[in-house]
């Protein structure tokens, strides 16, 4: 590693000051010079002095600065090139979802930052002067490949969420279109899987409800019970749904869907004879 390494950073002076040479947690041995050309560049020289820990801290700040300044631009470009079919609004929604993947092991914040750090170390083994714009454009191919994976995942998840919202709206429409709706339906969750269904008078209508969808001889898996429960509730279209023994719920996503479809009309029983 060189005795002195220098970054040439163009534009955005306030961000440069905040993130690189005026960082509140980083007192680095650095000097700053400015080039007053048509495209002004701020040169930030850092002297490692053989202190690898200080160098590591400094390059961490540089990596964070790169992510803060360039990542959204790179993701926007990737979406423009690889997902031309998306509308401008959809692309904005995709970009807003980046924080959802912060903790992802493969493409989360720390994984992306580590990819930049590796490239920074490799670069400063070869050269002591780096123009940051050029470095981002030509030396961060692995980082860009990771961003492409992230973009693909975000687009896929965004479209899945959109389909789910449309699915919920459709189910809500079917429920609200029913003219004759029972006042209440009780759903009792079995600890070993499956559900018992009772009407407003607490009469067991489980067999009758399932019979409309499957034969009596059919062997149902837990997943089939989950799918059928939604179908049964949509068919019954009750004005109120009471869930008993909620602590035994295994499929949280299923009951989130029930709550969305019957929005404001689902109650979790605090404990009664049906719960036991």
């Amino acid at each position: 590693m060189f005795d002195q390494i220098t970054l040439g950073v163009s534009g955005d002076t306030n961000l440069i000051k905040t993130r690189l040479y005026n960082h509140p947690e980083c007192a680095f041995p650095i000097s700053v010079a400015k080039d007053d050309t048509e495209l002004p560049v701020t040169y930030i020289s850092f002297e490692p002095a053989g202190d690898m820990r200080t160098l590591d801290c400094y390059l961490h700040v540089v990596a964070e600065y790169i992510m803060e300044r360039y990542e959204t631009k790179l993701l926007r470009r990737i979406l423009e090139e690889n997902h031309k079919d998306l509308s401008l609004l959809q692309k904005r929604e995709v970009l807003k979802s980046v924080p959802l993947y912060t903790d992802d092991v493969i493409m989360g914040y720390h994984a992306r930052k580590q990819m930049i750090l590796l490239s920074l170390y490799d670069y400063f083994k070869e050269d002591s002067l780096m123009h940051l714009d050029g470095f981002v454009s030509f030396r961060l191919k692995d980082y860009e490949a990771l961003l492409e994976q992230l973009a693909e995942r975000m687009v896929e998840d965004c479209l899945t969420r959109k389909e789910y919202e449309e699915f919920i709206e459709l189910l809500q429409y079917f429920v609200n279109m029913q003219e004759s709706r029972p006042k209440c339906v009780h759903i009792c969750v079995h600890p070993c899987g499956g559900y018992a269904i009772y009407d407003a008078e607490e009469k067991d209508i489980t067999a009758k409800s399932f019979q409309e969808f499957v034969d009596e001889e059919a062997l149902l898996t837990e997943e089939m019970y989950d799918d059928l429960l939604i179908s049964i509730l949509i068919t019954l279209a009750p004005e109120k749904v009471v869930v008993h023994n909620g602590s035994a719920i295994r499929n949280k996503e299923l009951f989130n869907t029930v709550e969305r479809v019957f929005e404001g009309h689902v109650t979790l029983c605090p404990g009664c004879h049906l719960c036991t």
Side-chain angles (χ1 to χ4, degrees):
M1 189 68 67
F2 298 93
D3 292 334
Q4 177 175 289
I5 56 178
T6 303
L7 287 176
V9 187
S10 60
D12 209 354
T13 305
N14 289 332
L15 186 58
I16 295 169
K17 286 181 178 179
T18 303
R19 298 300 296 160
L20 291 179
Y21 65 84
N22 196 26
H23 193 284
E25 299 177 3
C26 303
F28 301 122
I30 61 176
S31 59
V32 178
K34 292 186 179 179
D35 182 0
D36 295 327
T37 60
E38 290 185 12
L39 296 174
V41 176
T42 300
Y43 291 97
I44 305 164
S45 297
F46 169 70
E47 300 174 3
D51 185 351
M52 292 303 296
R53 185 176 177 214
T54 303
L55 173 64
D56 188 60
C57 290
Y58 179 71
L59 293 185
H60 268 75
V61 173
V62 174
E64 291 169 5
Y65 173 78
I66 290 173
M67 295 180 73
E68 185 173 344
R69 180 175 177 182
Y70 295 93
E71 188 165 89
T72 300
K73 296 177 184 177
L74 291 171
L75 281 170
R76 189 178 291 116
R77 191 198 73 200
I78 290 169
L79 290 175
E80 290 292 338
E81 293 176 354
N82 299 347
H83 298 279
K84 297 184 183 346
D85 54 321
L86 294 180
S87 67
L88 181 60
L89 181 60
Q90 286 175 316
K91 289 171 184 174
R92 287 176 180 171
E93 288 299 315
V94 170
L95 288 173
K96 287 180 182 178
S97 68
V98 172
L100 297 177
Y101 305 87
T102 298
D103 298 325
D104 189 279
V105 176
I106 298 175
M107 58 191 74
Y109 180 87
H110 293 293
R112 303 196 303 274
K113 180 180 172 182
Q114 186 64 28
M115 194 70 73
I116 296 174
L117 279 171
L118 292 174
S119 297
L120 286 170
Y121 277 112
D122 287 343
Y123 183 92
F124 283 120
K125 287 177 183 176
E126 305 168 4
D127 204 334
S128 63
L129 175 63
M130 172 194 291
H131 285 277
L132 204 55
D133 288 346
F135 174 75
V136 172
S137 297
F138 302 108
R139 296 294 295 264
L140 286 181
K141 298 307 177 184
D142 290 339
Y143 171 62
E144 286 193 40
L146 197 58
L147 289 182
E148 288 184 359
Q149 292 182 44
L150 177 62
E152 290 295 326
R153 172 87 170 274
M154 290 193 300
V155 168
E156 181 180 339
D157 290 350
C158 188
L159 293 177
T160 299
R161 286 194 295 272
K162 181 183 177 184
E163 291 173 358
Y164 177 73
E165 292 300 323
E166 291 174 348
F167 173 66
I168 293 297
E169 289 179 6
L170 182 61
L171 295 183
Q172 288 175 333
Y173 172 76
F174 282 139
V175 169
N176 294 328
M177 284 294 292
Q178 301 289 345
E179 294 182 0
S180 178
R181 300 176 60 183
K183 291 290 183 182
C184 179
V185 163
H186 299 269
I187 306 297
C188 298
V189 184
H190 289 308
C192 297
Y195 312 95
I197 305 173
Y198 296 81
D199 62 15
E201 286 72 38
E202 299 185 3
K203 177 183 177 182
D204 192 337
I205 58 172
T206 308
K208 179 181 177 183
S209 300
F210 278 93
Q211 194 174 36
E212 295 184 22
F213 295 92
V214 294
D215 296 331
E216 290 184 10
E217 296 81 9
L219 296 176
L220 299 180
T221 64
E222 188 170 341
E223 290 75 15
M224 293 171 69
Y225 267 115
D226 291 346
D227 293 339
L228 286 172
L229 181 62
I230 285 289
S231 300
I232 290 169
L233 288 175
I234 298 302
T235 301
L236 294 173
E239 295 181 9
K240 181 180 179 181
V241 178
V242 181
V243 180
H244 299 268
N245 199 25
S247 60
I249 292 174
R250 297 186 182 187
N251 192 336
K252 305 294 185 183
E253 185 177 342
L254 169 70
F255 280 86
N256 286 339
T257 300
V258 172
E259 288 183 337
R260 289 290 309 279
V261 174
F262 296 91
E263 191 170 13
H265 300 281
V266 178
T267 303
L268 188 64
C269 180
C272 71
H273 64 283
L274 287 179
C275 293
T276 57

